[in-house]
Amino acid sequence: GDSRVLFLQYEQAVSAPTITLHTLAAFLTIPGNQFGSDAKQLASSAAAAILDRSSHAARAAKHAAAFSDTVGDIPTRLGYGNGYSEELKSSWPQSKHVHKIRSAGSSSTEQGGRYRTTDDECTGPPIVVAGCGHSGTTLLVKLIGAHPVVYEVPGETKQFTLAGNVNKVAHADENFARKCSRVRDKQRVGRKKDRWVEKTAKNVAKIKLILLGIPTAKVVVIYRDGRDVVMSLMERACEEAGLCNRTSLEGVAAGAQRWFQDNTAALSHLNNHRVHFMQFEQLVRAPFLSLHNLCNFLQLSFEPMDMLSYHEDDLFDSHNRRHKMGGRSEHQVIRAEQMRTPLYFAEGKGSNMTEAENALFEERDGELYTVLGYRTFKDWRRRR
């Protein structure tokens, strides 16, 4: 919860140095382009820096029991082992560095300009969530929207993706701010919604326009293992678009194309300190540390208990019921059920890819896949 502390994972630093250096540069307020040549050098030597786990398997097994008895649940808290569970949330120590939240009725500016709001308007820095579809954008907006002072704009508005100029982006900002100003957190006396967050996955293609149209906005991009995304997209295409008769290779090619385009568009903003990158796998494995870094970036107080209770809010389901009177698709039903479930880590569907499907995916997206810190199929199979 201390905004002067940043948490970095060693494995991600050596496997995805460009993204790690972007996060570090933003935290230290160092121009990102100063890391350019160093990032390329790190990326080229990253493979050599990662230890081959298979060579240590025997020693690890031998000492596993003694290690577990000594360190307890610390590895799980850091994102190793079986990942996060609800039991871990209740046992997590409360931070002594939680930032003060402005009480309702105060019109003064917080120290450091944390919330630039008035009594009647929601004018704090807006938050926009983006990323390739099926990468965790819905989960991320729910987590942010569960923060006591953040208003979650329901559904995918597409107002930024359809906007053709900065004026329309600014108009959307004003519209969301008006809605936000009318919302109060009824369960928490003295806390007022100061900022809004909106999620439309395809915002990823409009990041530049959003940042130009809303000078105070911050964008959070979430990315995920491309194999898991592609398999999930194929499943949805079969359910909703009737494309079940496509061959698996055709489905992989279409999904890989979307994953490549969306993540390439996002990475073009690596040197912009108003853009924050989050890895889905790290978020679900180590949510406390991921949310700490996220709240620092957004200049929000660290409220993990509120944010991880996102599943207790029925906003997502009620919005779907209101706007889908004719019935919901199977995907919408599944997504609503997921948003009513506490955060958990599960193996992605990409592990079901055949060797031929993997080869096609890597032929198209192999280089980007490595930049984002994921292992190729050949390397993954060798290290199992």
Side-chain angles (χ1 to χ4, degrees), residues 362-374:
E362 290 179 11
E363 180 182 355
R364 166 77 196 184
D365 300 338
E367 183 177 351
L368 177 60
Y369 199 66
T370 304
V371 168
L372 291 176
Y374 297 104

Side-chain angles (χ1 to χ4, degrees), residues 70-80 88 92:
T70 303
V71 301
D73 64 359
I74 294 299
T76 305
R77 293 170 186 262
L78 294 175
Y80 304 102
L88 194 63
W92 189 269

Side-chain angles (χ1 to χ4, degrees), residues 132-136 223-236 252 255-256 259 279-281 284 345-353 358 361 369 374 380:
C132 180
H134 293 245
S135 294
Y223 61 95
R224 186 182 185 184
D225 189 317
R227 293 184 176 87
D228 294 334
V229 172
V230 167
M231 295 301 282
S232 185
L233 286 171
M234 287 174 60
E235 195 173 89
R236 182 175 179 182
V252 169
W259 185 82
Q279 186 191 63
F280 172 81
E281 292 81 3
V284 296
F345 174 78
E347 193 70 34
K349 299 174 182 177
S351 58
N352 298 324
M353 265 191 174
N358 268 285
F361 175 81
Y369 199 66
Y374 297 104
W380 172 79

Side-chain angles (χ1 to χ4, degrees), residues 70-176:
T70 303
V71 301
D73 64 359
I74 294 299
T76 305
R77 293 170 186 262
L78 294 175
Y80 304 102
N82 295 325
Y84 169 80
S85 67
E86 275 292 282
E87 292 74 17
L88 194 63
K89 182 173 76 171
S90 60
S91 65
W92 189 269
Q94 294 297 301
S95 171
K96 298 179 181 179
H97 301 284
V98 175
H99 301 300
K100 288 180 64 178
I101 293 188
R102 181 181 60 79
S103 61
S106 169
S107 60
S108 61
T109 304
E110 284 286 331
Q111 184 178 0
R114 187 168 298 281
Y115 299 117
R116 296 179 295 105
T117 62
T118 66
D119 287 341
D120 301 321
E121 280 192 68
C122 181
T123 55
I127 306 166
V128 177
V129 171
C132 180
H134 293 245
S135 294
T137 52
T138 300
L139 171 63
L140 180 56
V141 76
K142 292 297 293 181
L143 286 164
I144 298 174
H147 192 284
V149 299
V150 178
Y151 164 66
E152 177 193 344
V153 178
E156 291 199 354
T157 68
K158 299 181 174 61
Q159 291 206 25
F160 297 130
T161 60
L162 298 176
N165 55 61
V166 293
N167 291 330
K168 291 184 178 180
V169 170
H171 177 73
D173 173 29
E174 294 171 358
N175 180 35
F176 295 151

Side-chain angles (χ1 to χ4, degrees), residues 2 23 26-27 37 55 61 66 81 126 139 213 235 237-238 302 320 327 329 332:
D2 192 328
T23 302
F27 176 74
S37 59
S55 65
L139 171 63
E235 195 173 89
C238 176
F302 185 49
N320 276 338
S329 67
Q332 290 166 336

